[in-house]
Amino acid sequence: MATHLIGDLHGHYRDFVRLLQESNLADDSLQWTGGTDTLWLMGDFFDRGASGVKCVELCMSLQKQAAAVGGSVNSLLGNHELMILAAHKFRDAMTPSGISVTDLWLRWGGIESDLADLTDEQAAWIAELPAMVLTEDSLLVHADAMLYVDHGITIDAVNKSFAALIQNDDLDAWMPVLSAFGEHMAFLSLSITGGKRARQLLALYGGKQLVHGHTPIPFARQMEPTEVTEAWRYADDVCLNVDGGMYMGSPGFVHTL
């Protein structure tokens, strides 16, 4: 039994299918073939690519199939999930910047067809995704950011805080979290600061390595996207970035813990 990770899809449904099939986690009919293995998506199904809803739909289908044979398929809550939930929930409500929530979401890379096609069932599924998970001594979070400490000092507290936010009908409560979720590369530093931050999170929440997506490896390492075919370990081996940057042109990869 193994645990596999796939980074940010950003609507790249065909790449998602290809990675599943190449890794023998799904067959040509998109039926789960991973047996009792576990698959974690790292969040950010949406935006920048046209098929975010299809990616969610496939993940939900595989989740049911895997559970039936003792396997597991799940996803973390990414900032782009929180963004589309805000657009789905608040629609034309005005933000402090004077534009509607939907228009703000579009500025963040939102795809109009995703918002139009997102069902209440899919939105409810997204609303239940955890923000943080500990598995096999690996702390899984979507973002290489420090916002999690604002939501609690245990994994359970963090996840309950995000769940409560999603149920909150006050847009003013959402805006600071959406803003904080935009931080990148908190653990990457020329000094010891970045690694120290990652170790602080591990000391707080548990785990021996911190695994994240959110910041594309080609951007963080200034590499050609086509050259990124595996996860990047950094910060004295404390951090593992699994966002290959598929929307930038990387073929993506499946990382096995």
Side-chain angles (χ1 to χ4, degrees), residues 2-248:
T3 298
H4 312 282
L5 310 175
I6 297 180
D8 308 30
L9 295 173
H10 283 299
H12 284 246
Y13 176 78
R14 291 182 180 178
D15 287 321
F16 184 23
V17 169
R18 173 177 53 80
L19 290 174
L20 290 168
Q21 293 173 342
E22 288 177 352
S23 301
N24 296 317
L25 294 173
D27 61 20
D28 291 343
S29 300
L30 300 182
Q31 300 299 299
W32 174 254
T33 54
T36 58
D37 282 6
T38 294
L39 172 64
W40 275 97
L41 283 298
M42 298 300 290
D44 280 6
F45 288 99
F46 298 97
D47 308 337
R48 301 194 176 102
S51 301
V53 167
K54 288 185 68 175
C55 290
V56 168
E57 186 177 35
L58 177 55
C59 189
M60 291 174 66
S61 173
L62 291 173
Q63 186 178 64
K64 294 177 181 177
Q65 296 173 37
V69 295
S72 176
V73 175
N74 212 325
S75 175
L76 296 175
L77 179 76
N79 58 311
H80 286 268
E81 278 69 61
L82 202 60
M83 289 173 183
I84 198 170
L85 286 180
H88 182 75
K89 186 181 188 77
F90 296 107
R91 301 282 178 171
D92 296 325
M94 301 304 291
T95 68
S97 60
I99 63 174
S100 72
V101 176
T102 300
D103 285 341
L104 180 60
W105 170 72
L106 290 171
R107 289 188 183 183
W108 285 331
I111 306 296
E112 291 187 29
S113 58
D114 272 342
L115 186 57
D117 295 341
L118 185 69
T119 67
D120 289 340
E121 179 186 7
Q122 291 163 345
W125 182 84
I126 294 168
E128 295 182 358
L129 299 181
M132 177 181 288
V133 169
L134 182 64
T135 180
E136 297 187 29
D137 288 330
S138 294
L139 182 66
L140 307 186
V141 295
H142 170 70
D144 45 343
M146 292 297 291
L147 83 155
Y148 300 101
V149 298
D150 295 331
H151 293 269
I153 60 173
T154 67
I155 292 174
D156 187 56
V158 170
N159 289 332
K160 285 182 177 178
S161 177
F162 275 94
L165 173 69
I166 290 170
Q167 298 304 316
N168 195 324
D169 293 329
D170 182 4
L171 177 59
D172 289 341
W174 284 64
M175 295 307 296
V177 182
L178 289 171
S179 177
F181 226 153
E183 180 187 9
H184 287 263
M185 298 191 288
F187 315 128
L188 180 63
S189 176
L190 296 177
S191 68
I192 64 170
T193 306
K196 183 177 180 180
R197 290 172 181 159
R199 286 189 289 272
Q200 287 174 338
L201 289 189
L202 292 172
L204 193 60
Y205 301 115
K208 295 180 179 178
Q209 71 170 350
L210 191 154
V211 184
H212 68 83
H214 192 53
T215 299
I217 295 171
F219 179 78
R221 301 190 68 187
Q222 295 297 292
M223 296 174 60
E224 288 295 324
T226 53
E227 297 176 358
V228 178
T229 57
E230 62 182 8
W232 174 41
R233 194 174 298 278
Y234 69 101
D236 296 326
D237 293 339
V238 172
C239 294
L240 188 71
N241 186 337
V242 296
D243 180 4
M246 280 186 276
Y247 81 89
M248 300 175 71

